[in-house]
Amino acid sequence: CFTLISPVIPLIAIAFDGQVEDSTLFAQTVITYAATGMMVGGPIGGWLASQIGTKTVLLGSFITFLIAGTAGFWITDPFLLLSSRVLLGAAACSLQTCCFAFTGDLFSGVLRIRILSLQPAMGAIVAILSILLAGEVASAHGWQAVFILYLLGIPSLILAVFVLPSTHSVSTEEDDSANKNIGQYLKVWYIFVLMAGVSILLNMPSIQLPLKLAADGILDPAINSRVVAAFSITLSLAAIGYNEARNYLGTHGVFLFGLVILGAGYTLIGFTSAPLMTAAAAALAGIGGGLINPHFSILMIERTPEAIRTSALGFLMACFFFGEFMIPYTANPLRLAFGIDTMLQIFGGVAVVAATI
């Protein structure tokens, strides 16, 4: 949803300079406005899945995702571009919620943990490929051409139609009971809060790394894409090893260790100036991100009853993308006041301190 646009953030800022008040902020919001739709799409998608079936909602969300994703190829109006991103975000979060729900319903135990940890790993691998491809396409054909790449999701849509099992809505009695049992949600309130905060750190590279490189004089989308890909590569590898790390460090230990590594990586990025060193520091941060990324969805599935699981996952995704939406509004004031290097060091330092107190 976001990685395709990441390498062209500086080019979007240049393209809309003069059309909007702050083109750098606008370029970031082209990514983060999708998160506003995601905050709504997760809960709505989870609720609809419990009413009309998970597969039906998944397929409808997937089709909407493809249409809204390609809109940026032909839309040049700033308002309409941001509107298409909101719709894209709503569809993407609904789609992701349904994927998590399918995993929770069809698998259990260690196998479920392994699959849930593989999902962000596979997502990171796709992100790596999409980042690199988007950088090359943008270099050759301009920033708007990257939006056509959303159509690469069509084979996955066809696969979902024929492979995924049909699902049914829950009974009215079960649904009413779940809606009344607010206490079940209150038991996991801390997971929602932590997800909202940590998601700022998890999603920062795709937005802030291109701006960091631009501040260092690097505007080539291909180079930007490779640096961002370094984060995604190590994230995918660490996510694959999440289950083993959790067995060794414990449920809380794996989260705290990941947060320290993630924060240390961001702090180091703030001290770099050469793209190769920035990529190395981003790779370190990716290790921490990979240990954190699958953590909250696994906790939510483990600690909620089946009756509210899908809706709880929808709210969890809403919290995740609320944090992503807040990135420009938390990072931009610090960037303007102290510079992007100090801003990254502040975020990294806060993460390390939060994990150690």
Side-chain angles (χ1 to χ4, degrees):
C1 188
F2 304 109
T3 52
L4 282 176
I5 311 303
S6 178
V8 298
I9 288 178
L11 298 182
I12 294 175
I14 294 172
F16 285 91
D17 188 25
Q19 297 186 54
V20 294
E21 183 175 351
D22 186 341
S23 62
T24 299
L25 178 61
F26 173 80
Q28 296 177 69
T29 57
V30 171
I31 289 183
T32 58
Y33 258 53
T36 62
M38 287 173 163
M39 287 184 280
V40 177
I44 292 178
W47 178 80
L48 282 175
S50 67
Q51 302 300 310
I52 62 177
T54 306
K55 183 175 182 178
T56 302
V57 176
L58 183 146
L59 296 178
S61 300
F62 211 147
I63 293 171
T64 304
F65 174 84
L66 296 176
I67 295 173
T70 56
F73 177 71
W74 48 272
I75 288 179
T76 56
D77 179 78
F79 175 78
L80 292 179
L81 179 60
L82 292 181
S83 298
S84 72
R85 302 298 291 176
V86 173
L87 181 60
L88 173 76
C93 194
S94 177
L95 177 61
Q96 187 171 6
T97 299
C98 291
C99 290
F100 282 136
F102 264 119
T103 304
D105 292 340
L106 299 178
F107 305 97
S108 62
V110 175
L111 180 59
R112 182 165 62 191
I113 292 176
R114 289 190 180 278
I115 292 174
L116 285 169
S117 62
L118 282 173
Q119 285 182 355
M122 295 304 296
I125 292 172
V126 172
I128 295 165
L129 297 176
S130 66
I131 289 169
L132 296 174
L133 182 59
E136 298 299 330
V137 169
S139 294
H141 304 289
W143 66 270
Q144 283 187 285
V146 301
F147 289 92
I148 289 296
L149 297 177
Y150 280 99
L151 294 178
L152 293 176
I154 290 177
S156 295
L157 173 62
I158 296 172
L159 190 66
V161 171
F162 294 103
V163 173
L164 290 178
S166 297
T167 58
H168 304 283
S169 61
V170 299
S171 68
T172 304
E173 181 179 352
E174 288 175 334
D175 190 52
D176 290 342
S177 175
N179 289 332
K180 293 177 181 177
N181 196 2
I182 299 176
Q184 296 290 346
Y185 291 96
L186 295 179
K187 289 180 181 179
V188 292
W189 67 270
Y190 64 95
I191 300 179
F192 294 119
V193 174
L194 285 172
M195 173 60 94
V198 172
S199 69
I200 294 177
L201 296 172
L202 288 175
N203 292 297
M204 189 172 288
S206 63
I207 300 174
Q208 298 302 326
L209 280 180
L211 297 177
K212 153 68 177 170
L213 292 168
D216 293 335
I218 308 298
L219 295 174
D220 187 346
I223 296 177
N224 287 345
S225 65
R226 292 164 193 159
V227 174
V228 177
F231 176 85
S232 298
I233 290 171
T234 53
L235 185 148
S236 64
L237 295 174
I240 291 172
Y242 171 83
N243 186 57
E244 287 71 20
R246 188 189 193 199
N247 290 337
Y248 182 76
L249 298 171
T251 301
H252 298 296
V254 70
F255 168 69
L256 296 178
F257 179 72
L259 192 58
V260 168
I261 299 300
L262 183 64
Y266 285 149
T267 302
L268 289 174
I269 291 172
F271 286 104
T272 65
S273 57
L276 182 60
M277 296 305 297
T278 302
L284 176 64
I287 296 173
L291 295 177
I292 295 174
N293 201 313
H295 186 70
F296 295 106
S297 58
I298 290 173
L299 282 184
M300 188 61 69
I301 288 176
E302 289 178 340
R303 301 185 182 186
T304 53
E306 185 176 355
I308 68 165
R309 184 177 295 152
T310 303
S311 58
L313 285 169
F315 282 111
L316 183 69
M317 291 299 98
C319 292
F320 179 84
F321 293 112
F322 172 77
E324 183 162 25
F325 172 74
M326 291 302 296
I327 290 175
Y329 306 105
T330 54
N332 225 44
L334 293 175
R335 180 179 63 84
L336 294 175
F338 305 109
I340 194 165
D341 288 333
T342 302
M343 179 270 290
L344 288 165
Q345 293 162 8
I346 291 172
F347 274 100
V350 168
V352 173
V353 171
T356 55
I357 58 175

